[in-house]
């Protein structure tokens, strides 16, 4: 009976470690998604209109045309 309990405890320990590892991965992915979302918002804002420096994008005609 103790062998069976030991085996169950070992499995639970492995499963607990796996859950902890996956939790860390999900947290890192959430941070990266947040960072990429902020960067994408900045890119979309720049595309929406030229900034104060007068950035020109390739799909826009130069002002002298």
């Amino acid at each position: 009976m103790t062998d069976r309990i030991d085996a169950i405890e070992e499995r639970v320990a492995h499963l607990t470690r796996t859950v902890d590892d996956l939790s860390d991965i999900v947290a890192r992915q959430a941070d990266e998604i947040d960072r990429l979302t902020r960067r994408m918002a900045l890119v979309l804002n720049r595309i929406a209109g030229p900034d104060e420096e007068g950035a020109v994008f390739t799909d826009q005609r130069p002002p002298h045309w």
Side-chain angles (χ1 to χ4, degrees):
M1 183 69 158
T2 57
D3 290 339
R4 186 171 179 200
I5 292 174
D6 289 341
I8 292 171
E9 287 177 344
E10 185 177 342
R11 264 187 105 177
V12 168
H14 286 293
L15 291 173
T16 301
R17 180 172 180 180
T18 301
V19 168
D20 290 341
D21 291 345
L22 290 174
S23 178
D24 292 342
I25 290 169
V26 169
R28 283 195 309 266
Q29 287 177 340
D31 291 342
E32 186 171 359
I33 288 169
D34 290 341
R35 182 180 59 82
L36 292 172
T37 301
R38 286 191 304 272
R39 289 181 72 183
M40 180 59 88
L42 291 172
V43 168
L44 291 174
N45 286 338
R46 285 191 73 182
I47 290 173
D51 61 1
E52 296 165 1
E53 298 173 8
V56 177
F57 295 94
T58 57
D59 63 340
Q60 296 176 347
R61 289 183 175 178
H64 61 277
W65 281 20

